[in-house]
Short mmCIF file of all heavy atoms in Angstrom, two decimals:
data_model
loop_
_atom_site.label_atom_id
_atom_site.label_comp_id
_atom_site.label_asym_id
_atom_site.label_seq_id
_atom_site.Cartn_x
_atom_site.Cartn_y
_atom_site.Cartn_z
N MET O 628 2.16 -8.12 -9.94
CA MET O 628 2.64 -7.06 -9.14
C MET O 628 1.66 -6.03 -8.84
O MET O 628 1.49 -5.37 -7.83
CB MET O 628 3.95 -6.57 -9.87
CG MET O 628 4.71 -5.58 -8.99
SD MET O 628 5.13 -6.39 -7.47
CE MET O 628 6.37 -5.35 -6.84
N TRP O 629 0.90 -5.80 -9.95
CA TRP O 629 -0.10 -4.69 -9.97
C TRP O 629 -1.15 -5.07 -8.83
O TRP O 629 -1.60 -4.23 -8.10
CB TRP O 629 -0.85 -4.41 -11.30
CG TRP O 629 -1.85 -3.36 -11.17
CD1 TRP O 629 -3.22 -3.50 -11.33
CD2 TRP O 629 -1.64 -1.99 -11.02
NE1 TRP O 629 -3.84 -2.37 -11.26
CE2 TRP O 629 -2.92 -1.43 -11.01
CE3 TRP O 629 -0.52 -1.16 -10.84
CZ2 TRP O 629 -3.00 0.04 -10.86
CZ3 TRP O 629 -0.63 0.11 -10.63
CH2 TRP O 629 -1.93 0.69 -10.60
N LYS O 630 -1.56 -6.27 -8.76
CA LYS O 630 -2.48 -6.72 -7.79
C LYS O 630 -2.00 -6.48 -6.31
O LYS O 630 -2.70 -6.16 -5.41
CB LYS O 630 -2.78 -8.26 -7.86
CG LYS O 630 -3.84 -8.82 -7.20
CD LYS O 630 -4.22 -10.27 -7.52
CE LYS O 630 -5.24 -10.85 -6.77
NZ LYS O 630 -5.61 -12.20 -7.10
N THR O 631 -0.65 -6.80 -6.13
CA THR O 631 0.00 -6.50 -4.87
C THR O 631 -0.09 -5.05 -4.52
O THR O 631 -0.40 -4.58 -3.35
CB THR O 631 1.48 -6.99 -4.83
OG1 THR O 631 1.42 -8.31 -5.15
CG2 THR O 631 2.03 -6.75 -3.41
N ILE O 632 0.23 -4.07 -5.46
CA ILE O 632 0.14 -2.80 -5.21
C ILE O 632 -1.15 -2.21 -4.86
O ILE O 632 -1.44 -1.49 -3.96
CB ILE O 632 0.83 -1.82 -6.48
CG1 ILE O 632 2.23 -2.32 -6.66
CG2 ILE O 632 0.63 -0.44 -6.38
CD1 ILE O 632 2.88 -1.81 -7.91
N THR O 633 -2.15 -2.50 -5.69
CA THR O 633 -3.57 -2.18 -5.30
C THR O 633 -4.00 -2.63 -3.96
O THR O 633 -4.70 -2.06 -3.17
CB THR O 633 -4.59 -2.63 -6.46
OG1 THR O 633 -4.53 -4.00 -6.56
CG2 THR O 633 -4.16 -1.95 -7.75
N SER O 634 -3.69 -3.97 -3.62
CA SER O 634 -3.96 -4.47 -2.33
C SER O 634 -3.37 -3.75 -1.21
O SER O 634 -3.92 -3.33 -0.19
CB SER O 634 -3.66 -5.83 -2.26
OG SER O 634 -4.10 -6.49 -1.09
N VAL O 635 -2.06 -3.33 -1.38
CA VAL O 635 -1.43 -2.56 -0.31
C VAL O 635 -2.01 -1.25 -0.26
O VAL O 635 -2.21 -0.70 0.94
CB VAL O 635 0.02 -2.47 -0.59
CG1 VAL O 635 0.75 -1.53 0.25
CG2 VAL O 635 0.68 -3.92 -0.37
N LEU O 636 -2.39 -0.63 -1.29
CA LEU O 636 -2.90 0.81 -1.29
C LEU O 636 -4.23 0.77 -0.67
O LEU O 636 -4.58 1.67 0.10
CB LEU O 636 -3.00 1.36 -2.71
CG LEU O 636 -1.75 1.87 -3.40
CD1 LEU O 636 -1.92 2.21 -4.70
CD2 LEU O 636 -1.14 2.98 -2.52
N ALA O 637 -5.04 -0.36 -0.92
CA ALA O 637 -6.39 -0.31 -0.26
C ALA O 637 -6.35 -0.59 1.22
O ALA O 637 -6.97 0.10 2.07
CB ALA O 637 -7.22 -1.51 -0.92
N ALA O 638 -5.28 -1.37 1.66
CA ALA O 638 -5.08 -1.59 3.02
C ALA O 638 -4.56 -0.37 3.75
O ALA O 638 -4.94 -0.10 4.89
CB ALA O 638 -4.16 -2.82 3.27
N PHE O 639 -3.63 0.27 2.99
CA PHE O 639 -3.02 1.50 3.61
C PHE O 639 -4.05 2.55 4.02
O PHE O 639 -3.91 3.30 5.01
CB PHE O 639 -2.01 2.11 2.61
CG PHE O 639 -1.19 3.09 3.11
CD1 PHE O 639 -0.15 2.84 3.88
CD2 PHE O 639 -1.29 4.45 2.68
CE1 PHE O 639 0.72 3.79 4.40
CE2 PHE O 639 -0.51 5.45 3.15
CZ PHE O 639 0.51 5.16 4.04
N PHE O 640 -5.14 2.60 3.05
CA PHE O 640 -6.05 3.71 3.36
C PHE O 640 -7.37 3.07 4.05
O PHE O 640 -8.33 3.78 4.37
CB PHE O 640 -6.59 4.37 2.00
CG PHE O 640 -5.52 5.15 1.47
CD1 PHE O 640 -4.84 4.80 0.34
CD2 PHE O 640 -5.29 6.48 2.02
CE1 PHE O 640 -3.92 5.62 -0.22
CE2 PHE O 640 -4.40 7.15 1.44
CZ PHE O 640 -3.66 6.81 0.35
N GLY O 641 -7.35 1.84 4.46
CA GLY O 641 -8.38 1.13 5.30
C GLY O 641 -9.68 0.87 4.52
O GLY O 641 -10.59 0.84 5.14
N VAL O 642 -9.53 0.57 3.25
CA VAL O 642 -10.71 0.30 2.56
C VAL O 642 -10.67 -1.09 1.76
O VAL O 642 -11.36 -1.50 0.97
CB VAL O 642 -11.08 1.31 1.33
CG1 VAL O 642 -11.43 2.76 2.06
CG2 VAL O 642 -9.92 1.38 0.41
N GLN O 643 -9.83 -1.98 2.36
CA GLN O 643 -9.70 -3.26 1.94
C GLN O 643 -10.82 -4.26 2.25
O GLN O 643 -11.17 -4.21 3.40
CB GLN O 643 -8.31 -3.94 2.30
CG GLN O 643 -8.08 -5.46 1.97
CD GLN O 643 -7.03 -5.52 1.01
OE1 GLN O 643 -6.31 -4.55 0.86
NE2 GLN O 643 -6.75 -6.66 0.54
N LYS O 644 -11.37 -4.91 1.28
CA LYS O 644 -12.44 -5.88 1.64
C LYS O 644 -11.92 -7.20 2.26
O LYS O 644 -10.67 -7.46 2.04
CB LYS O 644 -13.15 -6.38 0.36
CG LYS O 644 -13.84 -5.24 -0.39
CD LYS O 644 -14.54 -5.78 -1.67
CE LYS O 644 -15.30 -4.73 -2.31
NZ LYS O 644 -15.97 -5.17 -3.53
N GLU O 645 -12.71 -7.79 3.17
CA GLU O 645 -12.24 -8.95 3.88
C GLU O 645 -11.92 -10.14 3.01
O GLU O 645 -10.99 -10.80 3.14
CB GLU O 645 -13.27 -9.34 4.98
CG GLU O 645 -13.00 -10.59 5.73
CD GLU O 645 -11.82 -10.44 6.70
OE1 GLU O 645 -11.46 -9.20 6.98
OE2 GLU O 645 -11.22 -11.40 7.11
N SER O 646 -12.76 -10.29 2.00
CA SER O 646 -12.43 -11.33 0.93
C SER O 646 -11.00 -11.10 0.22
O SER O 646 -10.37 -12.03 0.00
CB SER O 646 -13.59 -11.41 -0.06
OG SER O 646 -13.74 -10.15 -0.82
N ARG O 647 -10.77 -9.84 -0.19
CA ARG O 647 -9.49 -9.68 -0.81
C ARG O 647 -8.42 -9.86 0.18
O ARG O 647 -7.41 -10.30 -0.09
CB ARG O 647 -9.51 -8.15 -1.29
CG ARG O 647 -8.27 -7.64 -1.86
CD ARG O 647 -8.04 -8.50 -3.24
NE ARG O 647 -6.75 -8.15 -3.80
CZ ARG O 647 -6.66 -7.48 -4.87
NH1 ARG O 647 -7.61 -6.94 -5.45
NH2 ARG O 647 -5.43 -7.17 -5.43
N ARG O 648 -8.46 -9.44 1.40
CA ARG O 648 -7.61 -9.69 2.45
C ARG O 648 -7.28 -11.08 2.65
O ARG O 648 -6.09 -11.66 2.70
CB ARG O 648 -7.99 -9.04 3.83
CG ARG O 648 -6.83 -9.07 4.84
CD ARG O 648 -7.28 -8.51 6.14
NE ARG O 648 -8.14 -9.45 6.83
CZ ARG O 648 -7.87 -10.50 7.43
NH1 ARG O 648 -6.59 -10.87 7.62
NH2 ARG O 648 -8.84 -11.30 8.04
N GLN O 649 -8.28 -12.00 2.68
CA GLN O 649 -8.18 -13.42 2.82
C GLN O 649 -7.36 -14.07 1.65
O GLN O 649 -6.58 -14.92 1.76
CB GLN O 649 -9.46 -14.17 2.99
CG GLN O 649 -10.10 -13.73 4.24
CD GLN O 649 -9.40 -14.39 5.51
OE1 GLN O 649 -8.68 -15.45 5.26
NE2 GLN O 649 -9.50 -13.87 6.66
N GLU O 650 -7.72 -13.49 0.40
CA GLU O 650 -7.18 -13.99 -0.76
C GLU O 650 -5.63 -13.53 -0.77
O GLU O 650 -4.88 -14.40 -1.20
CB GLU O 650 -7.81 -13.32 -2.01
CG GLU O 650 -7.24 -13.67 -3.35
CD GLU O 650 -7.75 -12.93 -4.46
OE1 GLU O 650 -9.00 -12.54 -4.40
OE2 GLU O 650 -7.25 -12.78 -5.55
N ASP O 651 -5.33 -12.44 -0.32
CA ASP O 651 -3.87 -12.06 -0.22
C ASP O 651 -3.09 -12.96 0.70
O ASP O 651 -2.04 -13.34 0.43
CB ASP O 651 -3.72 -10.68 0.23
CG ASP O 651 -4.31 -9.55 -0.85
OD1 ASP O 651 -4.41 -9.91 -1.94
OD2 ASP O 651 -4.65 -8.46 -0.30
N PHE O 652 -3.58 -13.30 1.89
CA PHE O 652 -2.98 -14.16 2.73
C PHE O 652 -2.79 -15.50 2.28
O PHE O 652 -1.90 -16.24 2.59
CB PHE O 652 -3.69 -14.28 4.16
CG PHE O 652 -3.49 -13.06 4.96
CD1 PHE O 652 -4.32 -12.07 5.33
CD2 PHE O 652 -2.20 -12.97 5.62
CE1 PHE O 652 -4.09 -10.97 6.13
CE2 PHE O 652 -1.80 -11.89 6.61
CZ PHE O 652 -2.84 -10.95 6.76
N THR O 653 -3.76 -16.09 1.39
CA THR O 653 -3.59 -17.38 0.96
C THR O 653 -2.71 -17.58 -0.32
O THR O 653 -2.04 -18.50 -0.56
CB THR O 653 -4.90 -18.00 0.64
OG1 THR O 653 -5.58 -17.24 -0.25
CG2 THR O 653 -5.77 -18.14 1.99
N SER O 654 -2.78 -16.51 -1.21
CA SER O 654 -2.08 -16.56 -2.47
C SER O 654 -0.83 -15.75 -2.66
O SER O 654 0.03 -15.87 -3.48
CB SER O 654 -3.02 -16.40 -3.60
OG SER O 654 -3.49 -14.96 -3.49
N GLY O 655 -0.69 -14.62 -1.75
CA GLY O 655 0.37 -13.72 -1.87
C GLY O 655 1.61 -14.01 -1.18
O GLY O 655 1.62 -14.81 -0.22
N LYS O 656 2.74 -13.49 -1.68
CA LYS O 656 4.08 -13.65 -0.89
C LYS O 656 4.21 -12.56 0.04
O LYS O 656 3.98 -11.31 -0.36
CB LYS O 656 5.30 -13.70 -1.88
CG LYS O 656 5.26 -14.93 -2.75
CD LYS O 656 6.40 -14.88 -3.74
CE LYS O 656 7.66 -14.50 -3.17
NZ LYS O 656 8.83 -14.43 -4.17
N ALA O 657 4.52 -12.80 1.37
CA ALA O 657 4.67 -11.80 2.32
C ALA O 657 5.71 -10.77 2.06
O ALA O 657 5.60 -9.64 2.21
CB ALA O 657 4.93 -12.51 3.63
N SER O 658 6.78 -11.23 1.42
CA SER O 658 7.86 -10.32 1.11
C SER O 658 7.58 -9.27 0.20
O SER O 658 7.99 -8.19 0.34
CB SER O 658 9.13 -11.22 0.63
OG SER O 658 8.79 -11.83 -0.62
N SER O 659 6.76 -9.53 -0.76
CA SER O 659 6.33 -8.60 -1.78
C SER O 659 5.49 -7.54 -1.23
O SER O 659 5.49 -6.33 -1.39
CB SER O 659 5.69 -9.19 -3.03
OG SER O 659 4.48 -10.00 -2.66
N PHE O 660 4.53 -8.03 -0.25
CA PHE O 660 3.69 -7.04 0.44
C PHE O 660 4.43 -6.14 1.39
O PHE O 660 4.08 -4.93 1.47
CB PHE O 660 2.56 -7.89 1.20
CG PHE O 660 1.55 -8.35 0.33
CD1 PHE O 660 1.41 -9.72 0.05
CD2 PHE O 660 0.52 -7.60 -0.13
CE1 PHE O 660 0.53 -10.32 -0.63
CE2 PHE O 660 -0.48 -8.12 -0.98
CZ PHE O 660 -0.49 -9.50 -1.16
N ILE O 661 5.43 -6.67 1.91
CA ILE O 661 6.30 -5.87 2.88
C ILE O 661 7.10 -4.89 2.16
O ILE O 661 7.00 -3.71 2.45
CB ILE O 661 7.23 -6.84 3.73
CG1 ILE O 661 6.42 -7.64 4.72
CG2 ILE O 661 8.24 -5.99 4.39
CD1 ILE O 661 7.18 -8.75 5.36
N VAL O 662 7.67 -5.22 0.99
CA VAL O 662 8.41 -4.28 0.18
C VAL O 662 7.60 -3.15 -0.38
O VAL O 662 7.86 -1.93 -0.25
CB VAL O 662 9.10 -4.92 -0.93
CG1 VAL O 662 9.76 -3.97 -1.98
CG2 VAL O 662 10.28 -5.89 -0.38
N VAL O 663 6.38 -3.52 -0.89
CA VAL O 663 5.50 -2.55 -1.51
C VAL O 663 4.92 -1.65 -0.43
O VAL O 663 4.86 -0.51 -0.54
CB VAL O 663 4.31 -3.24 -2.27
CG1 VAL O 663 3.29 -2.23 -2.67
CG2 VAL O 663 4.99 -3.94 -3.48
N GLY O 664 4.62 -2.15 0.78
CA GLY O 664 4.07 -1.41 1.94
C GLY O 664 5.13 -0.35 2.36
O GLY O 664 4.81 0.78 2.72
N ILE O 665 6.40 -0.87 2.38
CA ILE O 665 7.54 0.19 2.80
C ILE O 665 7.62 1.29 1.75
O ILE O 665 7.67 2.48 2.20
CB ILE O 665 8.89 -0.53 3.17
CG1 ILE O 665 8.68 -1.42 4.40
CG2 ILE O 665 9.94 0.37 3.15
CD1 ILE O 665 9.99 -2.42 4.48
N LEU O 666 7.69 0.91 0.53
CA LEU O 666 7.73 1.88 -0.53
C LEU O 666 6.59 2.98 -0.49
O LEU O 666 6.76 4.04 -0.63
CB LEU O 666 7.88 1.19 -1.81
CG LEU O 666 9.16 0.40 -2.09
CD1 LEU O 666 9.03 -0.31 -3.47
CD2 LEU O 666 10.37 1.43 -2.09
N VAL O 667 5.44 2.40 -0.30
CA VAL O 667 4.19 3.33 -0.23
C VAL O 667 4.26 4.19 1.03
O VAL O 667 3.94 5.36 0.79
CB VAL O 667 2.91 2.40 -0.32
CG1 VAL O 667 1.72 3.32 0.15
CG2 VAL O 667 2.72 1.78 -1.58
N GLY O 668 4.78 3.57 2.12
CA GLY O 668 4.96 4.42 3.28
C GLY O 668 5.94 5.60 3.12
O GLY O 668 5.69 6.73 3.42
N VAL O 669 7.03 5.25 2.51
CA VAL O 669 8.07 6.22 2.13
C VAL O 669 7.61 7.25 1.06
O VAL O 669 7.84 8.55 1.34
CB VAL O 669 9.42 5.45 1.75
CG1 VAL O 669 10.40 6.54 1.16
CG2 VAL O 669 9.96 4.73 2.86
N LEU O 670 6.93 6.84 0.20
CA LEU O 670 6.39 7.69 -0.91
C LEU O 670 5.37 8.65 -0.17
O LEU O 670 5.33 9.94 -0.58
CB LEU O 670 5.68 6.90 -1.90
CG LEU O 670 5.19 7.82 -3.15
CD1 LEU O 670 6.26 8.57 -3.75
CD2 LEU O 670 4.43 6.91 -4.09
N PHE O 671 4.44 8.23 0.67
CA PHE O 671 3.54 9.00 1.33
C PHE O 671 4.25 10.10 2.23
O PHE O 671 3.74 11.33 2.18
CB PHE O 671 2.77 8.14 2.16
CG PHE O 671 1.62 8.88 2.97
CD1 PHE O 671 0.53 9.37 2.34
CD2 PHE O 671 1.69 8.94 4.41
CE1 PHE O 671 -0.47 10.05 3.08
CE2 PHE O 671 0.71 9.64 5.02
CZ PHE O 671 -0.38 10.16 4.40
N VAL O 672 5.34 9.78 2.95
CA VAL O 672 6.02 10.74 3.78
C VAL O 672 6.73 11.77 2.84
O VAL O 672 6.64 12.99 3.15
CB VAL O 672 7.03 9.98 4.67
CG1 VAL O 672 7.97 11.00 5.32
CG2 VAL O 672 6.36 9.28 5.75
N VAL O 673 7.30 11.34 1.76
CA VAL O 673 7.88 12.20 0.87
C VAL O 673 6.98 13.27 0.30
O VAL O 673 7.09 14.54 0.20
CB VAL O 673 8.71 11.46 -0.29
CG1 VAL O 673 9.19 12.53 -1.26
CG2 VAL O 673 9.86 10.77 0.20
N VAL O 674 5.74 12.74 -0.07
CA VAL O 674 4.75 13.59 -0.61
C VAL O 674 4.34 14.65 0.47
O VAL O 674 4.05 15.87 0.09
CB VAL O 674 3.51 12.86 -1.14
CG1 VAL O 674 2.37 13.81 -1.39
CG2 VAL O 674 3.95 12.15 -2.48
N LEU O 675 4.06 14.20 1.72
CA LEU O 675 3.77 14.97 2.85
C LEU O 675 4.89 16.14 3.01
O LEU O 675 4.59 17.39 3.20
CB LEU O 675 3.54 14.42 4.04
CG LEU O 675 2.23 13.62 4.08
CD1 LEU O 675 2.09 12.89 5.40
CD2 LEU O 675 1.02 14.53 3.90
N VAL O 676 6.08 15.82 2.91
CA VAL O 676 7.20 16.71 3.14
C VAL O 676 7.24 17.77 2.04
O VAL O 676 7.34 19.01 2.32
CB VAL O 676 8.59 16.02 3.36
CG1 VAL O 676 9.66 17.04 3.23
CG2 VAL O 676 8.60 15.24 4.48
N VAL O 677 6.97 17.37 0.87
CA VAL O 677 7.01 18.22 -0.38
C VAL O 677 5.81 19.18 -0.18
O VAL O 677 5.94 20.45 -0.51
CB VAL O 677 6.83 17.47 -1.64
CG1 VAL O 677 6.64 18.40 -2.83
CG2 VAL O 677 8.20 16.77 -1.88
N ILE O 678 4.71 18.69 0.20
CA ILE O 678 3.48 19.68 0.28
C ILE O 678 3.71 20.69 1.47
O ILE O 678 3.37 21.85 1.38
CB ILE O 678 2.10 18.80 0.51
CG1 ILE O 678 1.82 18.03 -0.78
CG2 ILE O 678 1.06 19.67 0.99
CD1 ILE O 678 0.74 17.09 -0.53
N ALA O 679 4.25 20.17 2.54
CA ALA O 679 4.50 21.11 3.61
C ALA O 679 5.54 22.09 3.30
O ALA O 679 5.46 23.32 3.55
CB ALA O 679 5.01 20.25 4.91
N THR O 680 6.57 21.75 2.54
CA THR O 680 7.60 22.68 2.07
C THR O 680 7.10 23.78 1.17
O THR O 680 7.30 24.92 1.31
CB THR O 680 8.79 21.93 1.36
OG1 THR O 680 9.33 20.86 2.35
CG2 THR O 680 9.92 22.87 1.04
N LEU O 681 6.24 23.34 0.20
CA LEU O 681 5.55 24.23 -0.67
C LEU O 681 4.65 25.26 -0.01
O LEU O 681 4.55 26.47 -0.29
CB LEU O 681 4.92 23.57 -1.80
CG LEU O 681 5.65 22.79 -2.78
CD1 LEU O 681 4.81 21.92 -3.73
CD2 LEU O 681 6.59 23.66 -3.56
N ALA O 682 3.92 24.75 1.03
CA ALA O 682 2.97 25.52 1.79
C ALA O 682 3.61 26.57 2.64
O ALA O 682 3.11 27.63 2.88
CB ALA O 682 2.07 24.70 2.59
N ALA O 683 4.76 26.08 3.25
CA ALA O 683 5.54 27.02 4.04
C ALA O 683 6.24 28.27 3.24
O ALA O 683 6.58 29.14 3.86
CB ALA O 683 6.60 26.26 4.81
N GLY O 684 6.28 28.02 1.97
CA GLY O 684 6.94 29.11 1.27
C GLY O 684 8.29 28.91 0.82
O GLY O 684 9.18 29.36 0.57
#
């Protein structure tokens, strides 16, 4: 599971290596990448909302 999380995070920030991407497509399950990707996206939005709320006072 940790490998899936690190792969999604690297892809999310655009720093994923091509070799790692190919490995993910051949050995990973699509459903786990989708779930982790959605969770990372939601977490990112929540962090941005919290930062904006704190900055606004």
Side-chain angles (χ1 to χ4, degrees):
M628 187 62 161
W629 182 249
K630 189 174 180 180
T631 303
I632 294 170
T633 57
S634 182
V635 168
L636 287 174
F639 191 74
F640 290 108
V642 295
Q643 177 113 7
K644 292 182 181 179
E645 179 65 22
S646 60
R647 179 65 186 254
R648 188 184 69 80
Q649 290 295 332
E650 181 183 334
D651 291 341
F652 276 108
T653 58
S654 65
K656 290 175 50 179
S658 60
S659 60
F660 286 104
I661 292 169
V662 170
V663 172
I665 290 171
L666 290 175
V667 168
V669 169
L670 182 63
F671 182 71
V672 169
V673 168
V674 168
L675 287 179
V676 168
V677 169
I678 290 172
T680 303
L681 292 174

